[in-house]
Structures are given as C-alpha cells and as structure tokens.
Amino acid sequence: MSDPFPGLSLDSQYAVTVMALPVPEEWKKFYQSKIFSTRSCAEKNGLEQCRKDWYPKYVSVMQEVGAITVTFNLAPPNLDIRSYFSLCYANGKKKYIDITPNFSKNKTHHSYQLNDLQEGTNYTCQIAANEVDAVRRTFNVQVMHIQKGILPLSVIPSMTLMLPLCLAVVTLLVVFLVVVTRRRPKLQMKEPDIKPDISSYHQVDKPQEEVVSLLRNRRTPPRLLICYSSYDGPAHVKAVMQLGAFIQRHMATQVCLDLWDSLSVAEEGSMAWHYRQMRESDFVLVICSRGLSHGPEPSKPEGDDTNEEADALLDFGFNAFSANAAIQLIGEEVGRAKARGQDLSKYMAAIFEYSEETDIPTVLRLVSHYMLTSDLPLLFSHLHGVALHRPGGYLKINHISEEGFTKVPAGAALQCAIYEAGLSMRAKRRHSVEGGD
C-alpha cells in the first residue's frame, strides 16, 4: 500500500526503509530499503512557478545593418523578476549587458541590441534573470560580414563610359553576393527540439564536451564501501555521510555506508557487516582522521563515563571500536596483498581538508590516497578507470571539478559539512591543549 511522506524538500535525496512488524519468523529479510530523489520545483509546479529555476525559453536573434537584435520572453509577473543580464564571449573577450525592460510597453517580451561585436566571429551568449544562482539560457550568435557601400564617383563620365562601367559593377556585385551566400550561411536562430543548455550563475566558460563510456565492461555501477572512525564526533560523521551522498549521486557509484544500513548492522553486528561488505564491494575507501590514529584502543573499557568522545559515539547507535577494528582488518588485507604482489587498487585512503597526511596509518600509505574535495576528479578516475589527461587535452567532468562541485545541492552540502567539521576539530584541539596546560 502507498504511504506518502508529505513535506519533503524539493530536489533532494532521501532513503526510505519499509519494515514488517512484528518480524515474521520464516523471513530471511524482513525489510526493504530504497534511495530516491524528489522532483525539482520546475518538474512539480512548472517553470512559470519557480523563481530559482526560471530561465527564458524563447530567444530570437536578428541581424540588420551591423546591429544584432535579441528578443526573449520575460518572466511572469508572479515571480517579480525586474531585471536581466546578457553575457557574450569569444576569443577571450567578454561583453556584459544589464537589461531593464520597460514593462509599460510590453509585459511578455523584450528586445535589446548587441553592439560592437567583431564581424565574422561566432559568439556564445547567455541570458538570465539578474538573480543569485539564476539559471542561464545559452545561445550562439554568428556575426556576418557587412557589405560596404560603393563610394560615389567624384567625376561624372560621359554616357559612353557610364554604361559599360555600370554593367561591370553590377556583374561584380552579383558574383560577390553568390560567393558570400555559399561560404557564409545566413544567421538564423530556431527553437531547439532538445532541452536548452543551462548553467548556473557562476559558470562563464564552457569547455569542450566529450562523451566517455564509463561502464564498458560493467553492467552495474562500481560498489564502494566507505569506512571511517566516528571517534572524531558527529560533525566528522556528517561529513562522511555527505561525501557518500555526493559520490552516489554525481559519480555513478553505489555507496555502502553503515549509517544507511543500520538494520543490517544491528542484525549482523558491525564487524560481520563490514567484513561482508569488504568481500562484496569493488572498492574500499577509508576516511582517515585524527580519531583513527589517536583514538582509544578497542581494549579500553567502554564504561568510562569521563570519556566525552565515547559518549558522543553512543549517540550514533554504533560501536566505534568495531569500526576501528574493521579498518585495522583492511590494513591487514592491504599488507597481505602487498606481500604477495597482488593488485592494491581495490583499497584507497582519503582525508578531508581539516585532517593531515600523518593521520593516514602507515599500512594504508601503500595504497592510493586522496585529499578531499580537491582530489574528487582523481577519485572518479580511480573508480571508473578513466584517464583524466591525454595528449592534447584533458577530461573535465561536470559537478566533480574542484570549482564546480559546489554548484549542485549535494556538493554544497558536502562543503558545508566539511567546514563545520573543521571548526569542530579545531575547537577540540584547542580544548585539549588548554586542558593539558
């Protein structure tokens, strides 16, 4: 039966778990979990009802006597968008125009002119509402050469010379027009059948796009197990969870995280769950932090009420010591594989910006390790076996580059979580230093 969840945020990712209660005795798996994404505002309510997602659908370009006129549709009055902007760029030069329509003349469309553009040049132009993070509509403008007028003759020749000269000029003009018509097609803009190119407010340059096949020999996305130490507190755990959400949504990877599978962890036990996931996953990523290398040993009594970090761990409902033991098991697997000369590409280590390379255990320094979020493209390359650089070019993946990952909601949430975890870590270190003094 359907049991919808009202009030969910638009354009967000959620996990839903359906569980049978009481648990049937003969069922091996008594629950089912699914990850789903809610619709965007434009998909649910329509573009005309979404101020943040709105962009001009209709754009028409005409060139007359050197001046280029652009006509576009205005936002509906209920969105209260009063101004727009246009940006054209080519050959390293940019031309920015502020647009303030006169709504008393026309409330549905507005026209403006693009002046001082170089003849014979193809421009990439964008138009959008003058709002933060506005969605842009991208279109192309090809500026044609303008045929210069013929200078008048300063001396009027006799009728016998005028007729042959006029015939010669007309012949040359016809030949020239034929050549221009064949070599330089007329400027024409038609409504595309596909969804128009859109980009965020911050994006200006549009790099060359390249289609890359990621899953050549794989029918399903690669499976990635993320291990971490919760000894560093809830802020660090939140950063790990946001990293998993970003990787699963924008890096074509299936992520396994104990926080998302709490029922299985409770049913199997933390150690057994991690061991099974290690065997079934294609890759294992260990998030290294200060708590991983400086945290308490598993043999330390768990009933120490004075240990504030241990109390914080209990709030998550997981055994931090079991997670650390699982990471130690991964280190042993890496050591054995290295001794046997086996491939180590299954295992990876990573640190967030607030951690240090010394937080990576010695045995995990044998495998590839990354600094997040600056090394997100390298992590993508490792997961999918795609080369980022080649002679004469490089591969740039949308929403994964260091400057572009924050333009999507999952990337912005990841950056915010890392920033908050960094503040928490620095405050904890200051407290420990002051306590030592």
Side-chain angles (χ1 to χ4, degrees), residues 101-244:
N102 188 347
F103 295 96
S104 62
K105 294 183 178 180
N106 194 328
K107 296 183 179 180
T108 60
H109 292 78
H110 178 73
S111 299
Y112 67 98
Q113 288 191 342
L114 295 174
N115 300 318
D116 302 327
L117 298 183
Q118 186 176 358
E119 296 182 5
T121 304
N122 292 330
Y123 285 85
T124 299
C125 298
Q126 296 175 334
I127 186 171
N130 196 6
E131 303 284 341
V132 176
D133 291 335
V135 178
R136 300 183 181 185
R137 167 68 188 272
T138 302
F139 59 97
N140 297 320
V141 174
Q142 180 181 352
V143 184
M144 297 186 301
H145 281 292
I146 304 301
Q147 173 68 20
K148 305 296 182 181
I150 301 176
L151 295 175
L153 296 177
S154 57
V155 180
I156 301 178
S158 62
M159 292 300 295
T160 57
L161 296 177
M162 185 63 128
L163 184 59
L165 183 58
C166 291
L167 292 176
V169 170
V170 171
T171 303
L172 291 176
L173 182 59
V174 171
V175 173
F176 180 80
L177 291 177
V178 171
V179 173
V180 170
T181 303
R182 290 183 178 181
R183 293 189 177 182
R184 300 192 178 276
K186 294 182 178 180
L187 176 66
Q188 54 182 1
M189 294 296 294
K190 58 183 180 180
E191 194 72 7
D193 296 331
I194 61 175
K195 185 177 180 180
D197 296 331
I198 58 176
S199 59
S200 66
Y201 183 85
H202 304 284
Q203 182 178 357
V204 175
D205 297 328
K206 183 178 181 182
Q208 287 186 338
E209 297 180 354
E210 179 180 358
V211 178
V212 179
S213 178
L214 299 181
L215 309 177
R216 294 174 181 173
N217 301 320
R218 191 191 303 271
R219 293 184 178 180
T220 59
R223 186 183 179 96
L224 172 67
L225 170 64
I226 299 181
C227 300
Y228 62 97
S229 172
S230 56
Y231 183 68
D232 285 304
H236 175 68
V237 175
K238 180 181 178 181
V240 173
M241 185 169 59
Q242 295 294 351
L243 173 66

Side-chain angles (χ1 to χ4, degrees), residues 30 68 78 92 117 143 150 221 262 278 306 342 358 361 374 399:
F30 55 90
I68 296 178
N78 60 291
L117 298 183
V143 184
I150 301 176
S262 57
M278 284 174 53
T306 62
Q342 297 176 348
T358 54
S374 58
H399 309 319

Side-chain angles (χ1 to χ4, degrees), residues 381-396:
S381 174
H382 190 131
L383 293 173
H384 294 283
V386 177
L388 297 180
H389 296 271
R390 68 178 186 181
Y394 69 96
L395 180 64
K396 186 176 182 180

Side-chain angles (χ1 to χ4, degrees), residues 331-361:
E332 295 175 1
E333 291 284 339
V334 171
R336 281 194 293 266
K338 179 66 175 179
R340 297 172 183 173
Q342 297 176 348
D343 184 19
L344 300 178
S345 61
K346 177 176 180 177
Y347 303 97
M348 299 170 287
I351 57 175
F352 288 123
E353 298 169 355
Y354 52 79
S355 299
E356 301 176 357
E357 288 194 7
T358 54
D359 294 332
I360 302 177

